[in-house]
């Protein structure tokens, strides 16, 4: 097949995928199962058998299929590399709302390079101790320890405020947090026992990984919990999560195993889709894209994982020139920064004293591959 024919086939598959996606989103619960079958064919033609498998499974729940479609997907996945990297670009449409008001006027958000994507640069020379990002609260978080407020992550007082649904497990430090959680995400899933069961299962996986010292698995489970909350927020606003302004500004980069996408991750998505009845709203590709954005931008702190939008604009470096002021919570320059220089923070400050080999090993345990200049020099 000529290159021209390959490109034409690719464009045709892309058009079919978009058309099926439009039909599914428009018709919702009335979508004929054939639409999922055709979209699965498009995904398969585009070299995404893991996404095709999800649509084939959906179609098979109504149609009588031989199973050849699913077997074809699994056979294709066996030929894939052990890991792949998915990249999900961001839009700048809502930066002026969620980021720029908290960012110093001496800084700009712009493309850094193809490896790290977008970041923050100094628009002028910045003296040491210049405030780069004002103190900000996370837009969304998920507490990973018991005894913490489900909304803000602070320690629960002696008299905490439980959810008004007695069957719900969430507790809050105040009525205000309870109301905020309800308006942000919780009202959409409060009475959904299947969703709560999924949350508890993933939380158990996180605790098992924590007990065994498997930090990468622990962080992955924490990101999944935050993604579940993000899906609930989208459901609350009646949009796909990636359409939320706070999510549109986040770029995603996820290194994944195709086998996992066809196994445990697909199982998680299908449970979620059944629990929330969102098969026609949140596709498997959308869910993985949301997970990629959360994974790339969340901060793992003691007791929780959070999305702090202004801070998420700064890339990591093992020789960072910005750090958090312990007194105010602002991000400040730790040295003089020249105009045009990228402003960076370290995601794992307790590891930065280690030499290159040990530091790299510890970062890889956390599922993080550092691409900073210091690591490039193997320092």
């Amino acid at each position: 097949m000529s290159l021209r024919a390959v490109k034409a086939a690719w464009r045709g598959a892309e058009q079919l995928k978009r058309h099926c996606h439009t039909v599914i989103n428009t018709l919702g619960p009335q979508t004929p199962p054939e639409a999922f079958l055709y979209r699965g064919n498009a995904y398969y033609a585009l070299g995404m058998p893991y996404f095709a498998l999800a649509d084939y499974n959906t179609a098979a729940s109504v149609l009588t299929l031989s199973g050849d479609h699913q077997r074809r997907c699994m056979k294709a996945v066996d030929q894939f590399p052990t890991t792949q990297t998915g990249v999900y670009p961001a839009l700048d449409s809502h930066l002026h709302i969620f980021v720029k008001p908290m960012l110093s006027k001496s800084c700009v958000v712009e493309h850094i390079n193809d490896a790290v994507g977008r970041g923050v640069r100094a628009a002028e020379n910045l003296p040491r101790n210049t405030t780069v990002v004002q103190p900000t609260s996370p837009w969304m978080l998920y507490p990973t320890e018991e005894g913490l407020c489900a909304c803000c992550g602070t320690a629960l007082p002696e008299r905490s405020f439980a959810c008004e649904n007695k069957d719900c497990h969430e507790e809050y430090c105040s009525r205000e947090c309870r109301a905020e959680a309800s308006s942000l995400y919780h009202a959409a899933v409060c009475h959904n026992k299947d969703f709560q069961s999924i949350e508890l299962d993933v939380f158990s996986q996180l605790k098992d990984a924590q007990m065994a010292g498997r930090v990468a698995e622990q962080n992955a489970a924490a990101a999944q919990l935050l993604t579940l909350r993000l899906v609930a927020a989208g459901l609350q606003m009646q949009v796909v999560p990636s359409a939320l302004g706070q999510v549109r500004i986040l770029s995603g980069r996820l290194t994944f195993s195709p086998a996992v996408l066809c196994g445990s991750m697909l199982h998680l998505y299908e449970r979620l889709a059944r629990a929330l009845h969102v098969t026609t709203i949140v596709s498997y590709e959308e869910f993985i894209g949301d997970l990629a954005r959360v994974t790339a931008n969340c901060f793992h702190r003691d007791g929780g994982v959070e999305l702090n939008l202004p801070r998420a604009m700064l890339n990591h470096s093992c020789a960072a020139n910005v750090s958090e002021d312990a007194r105010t919570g602002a991000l400040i320059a730790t040295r003089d920064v020249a105009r045009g220089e990228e402003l960076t923070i370290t995601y794992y400050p307790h590891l930065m004293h280690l030499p290159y080999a040990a530091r790299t090993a510890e970062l890889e345990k956390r599922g993080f591959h550092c691409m900073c200049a210091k690591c490039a020099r193997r320092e």
Side-chain angles (χ1 to χ4, degrees):
M1 184 181 291
S2 67
L3 179 60
R4 184 175 181 179
V6 170
K7 289 182 177 179
W10 183 275
R11 287 194 298 270
E14 276 284 0
Q15 290 173 357
L16 176 60
K17 187 189 84 168
R18 286 197 297 269
H19 178 69
C20 291
H21 199 64
T22 300
V23 169
I24 292 168
N25 284 345
T26 302
L27 297 182
Q30 306 303 317
T31 300
E34 289 81 2
F36 291 99
L37 184 62
Y38 297 151
R39 190 173 69 176
N41 290 340
Y43 276 129
Y44 185 85
L46 291 169
M48 303 175 184
Y50 26 82
F51 296 148
L53 185 59
D55 278 345
Y56 288 151
N57 287 348
T58 300
S61 65
V62 179
L63 300 175
T64 302
L65 301 180
S66 65
D68 287 344
H69 295 83
Q70 290 94 327
R71 285 190 289 271
R72 182 177 64 173
C73 288
M74 297 307 298
K75 185 176 180 180
V77 167
D78 289 341
Q79 308 302 316
F80 275 42
T82 306
T83 59
Q84 288 186 304
T85 300
V87 178
Y88 298 83
L91 298 175
D92 295 341
S93 56
H94 290 71
L95 285 177
H96 67 289
I97 300 175
F98 301 115
V99 173
K100 290 183 179 179
M102 308 306 297
L103 197 66
S104 168
K105 293 181 179 179
S106 303
C107 306
V108 292
V109 179
E110 62 182 29
H111 181 78
I112 302 298
N113 56 50
D114 292 338
V116 301
R118 193 172 57 187
V120 179
R121 287 191 192 277
E124 57 186 60
N125 294 334
L126 301 180
R128 181 182 178 183
N129 293 329
T130 298
T131 297
V132 175
V133 178
Q134 298 291 337
T136 56
S137 299
W139 168 59
M140 183 177 290
L141 62 78
Y142 199 106
T144 54
E145 298 291 344
E146 296 180 358
L148 301 179
C149 175
C151 181
C152 70
T154 59
L156 291 172
E158 185 174 342
R159 184 181 179 277
S160 61
F161 294 82
C163 176
E164 294 177 347
N165 173 17
K166 64 179 182 179
D167 295 324
C168 181
H169 61 270
E170 289 206 354
E171 292 184 272
Y172 308 96
C173 64
S174 64
R175 290 187 179 89
E176 290 75 18
C177 272
R178 184 169 64 186
E180 183 178 348
S182 181
S183 64
L184 178 60
Y185 68 89
H186 190 58
V189 295
C190 177
H191 295 276
N192 193 313
K193 292 183 178 180
D194 291 334
F195 180 85
Q196 293 178 21
S197 175
I198 295 170
E199 274 192 309
L200 292 174
D201 286 347
V202 178
F203 190 82
S204 295
Q205 293 171 18
L206 181 148
K207 286 301 178 183
D208 289 344
Q210 187 180 46
M211 291 288 291
R214 300 191 299 269
V215 184
E217 291 182 28
Q218 178 185 340
N219 288 351
Q224 290 171 26
L225 287 168
L226 194 55
T227 303
L228 292 177
R229 185 156 288 184
L230 181 62
V231 172
L235 189 62
Q236 180 101 340
M237 299 298 294
Q238 298 183 332
V239 297
V240 294
S242 61
L244 293 168
Q246 295 90 336
V247 181
R248 290 165 69 91
I249 63 175
L250 300 177
S251 59
R253 186 181 184 90
L254 182 67
T255 299
F256 61 88
S257 162
V260 171
L261 286 194
C262 289
S264 58
M265 193 58 63
L266 177 58
H267 177 63
L268 173 64
Y269 165 74
E270 290 179 335
R271 285 185 66 191
L272 179 67
R274 287 194 299 269
L276 299 181
H277 307 289
V278 294
T279 305
T280 60
I281 303 172
V282 180
S283 68
Y284 190 31
E285 183 182 20
E286 162 75 22
F287 178 71
I288 295 301
D290 297 334
L291 179 61
R293 289 182 171 91
V294 169
T295 301
N297 293 281
C298 67
F299 291 89
H300 298 274
R301 297 182 179 272
D302 291 339
V305 57
E306 65 183 41
L307 278 176
N308 189 310
L309 302 179
R311 294 187 178 204
M313 296 298 108
L314 279 76
N315 291 315
H316 164 86
S317 172
C318 294
N321 51 21
V322 173
S323 68
E324 182 176 344
D325 186 322
R327 183 175 57 86
T328 65
L331 295 184
I332 61 172
T334 56
R335 59 172 174 80
D336 293 345
V337 179
R339 177 183 178 183
E341 187 177 349
E342 184 184 5
L343 295 160
T344 57
I345 56 176
T346 175
Y347 296 167
Y348 301 98
H350 59 290
L351 301 178
M352 294 304 103
H353 68 285
L354 298 174
Y356 170 75
R359 186 176 71 246
T360 300
E362 287 296 324
L363 289 174
E364 288 180 351
K365 285 181 183 178
R366 289 156 174 77
F368 186 82
H369 175 65
C370 184
M371 296 181 287
C372 75
K374 183 177 180 179
C375 286
R377 296 191 300 268
R378 304 177 71 86
E379 294 179 355

